[in-house]
Amino acid sequence: MSDTALHLHGIERHYNKGKPNEVAVLRGVNIEVKKGEVVALVAPSGAGKSTLLHIAGLLDTPDAGKVQIAGEDLTGRSDRARTNARRSQIGFVYQFHHLLPEFTAAENIILPQLASGISRKDAGARAVDLLGKVGVEHRAGHRPGELSGGEQQRVAFCRALANVPGLMLADEPTGNLDPATSDQVFEALIKLARETGLAALIATHNMDLAARMDRTVRLESGVLV
């Protein structure tokens, strides 16, 4: 079995392709992220890091290149196959938590598990376990509107890991938080990654946080350096 959680090879993405105003966002991007590795993705705003994450997460299709998740080439696969891979193998975290406001913290983590066929009992136990790992198990019964920004984002991390994915993709996950809270949330994220052994590719503007990850890649002029 491959020890590579994510392998992007020769990824190209163009907007308005073939037109005078064509923009080449990604120009042959190559990257591997190993299991248990936390990698920082750094780039200026508008450089294409969100596009790269969407392609890595099978939310967008590259114009050229291959996307491999856990050694399986998912390039050009059907929508159903891509959806199944996203549900079972990839966890997403965004700058805004996107928790469902009418459900509690625990229920937000339970729901994706129920959709994958996990029993309510087992889903609830995993939700409590994950919340405990990031220090907010005492907030399990609270709705998102009753949580602080840092607590909301910790719950979002737990939801991303609900179905035990091998890969987490995060787009500026601490971008909406003050520096002190950002640091606490980042530590919770790294703790989850280390304890579960998942790979993580994390886009961030925060160079202090990037320096604390295993390595940093920078997106410049459509290529990774």
Side-chain angles (χ1 to χ4, degrees), residues 83-193:
T83 298
N84 288 339
R86 282 196 302 270
R87 180 181 297 137
S88 63
Q89 300 184 58
I90 305 170
F92 296 91
V93 180
Y94 299 97
Q95 187 169 348
F96 185 71
H97 58 79
H98 294 297
L99 297 173
L100 298 173
E102 65 271 31
F103 294 100
T104 66
E107 288 168 342
N108 268 277
I109 303 166
I110 290 170
L111 287 172
Q113 298 180 75
L114 297 181
S116 294
I118 306 300
S119 73
R120 175 79 187 206
K121 179 180 178 181
D122 290 343
R126 177 156 176 79
V128 171
D129 178 62
L130 287 170
L131 289 170
K133 289 182 185 301
V134 297
V136 291
E137 67 274 21
H138 61 294
R139 306 291 268 165
H142 292 257
R143 291 184 173 84
E146 300 170 319
L147 305 177
S148 69
E151 289 170 339
Q152 290 169 343
Q153 203 64 336
R154 293 184 198 203
V155 175
F157 292 154
C158 294
R159 181 185 57 185
L161 297 184
N163 285 324
V164 200
L167 174 67
M168 176 188 283
L169 301 172
D171 195 353
E172 297 287 354
T174 62
N176 281 336
L177 306 176
D178 64 79
T181 304
S182 175
D183 189 71
Q184 294 171 0
V185 169
F186 176 78
E187 287 300 326
L189 187 158
I190 294 299
K191 183 174 184 287
L192 274 179

Side-chain angles (χ1 to χ4, degrees), residues 21-42:
N21 60 340
E22 178 178 340
V23 177
V25 179
L26 303 175
R27 306 168 182 261
V29 168
N30 299 292
I31 186 173
E32 286 190 43
V33 182
K34 302 290 187 181
K35 294 178 181 177
E37 184 180 32
V38 180
V39 178
L41 172 63
V42 177

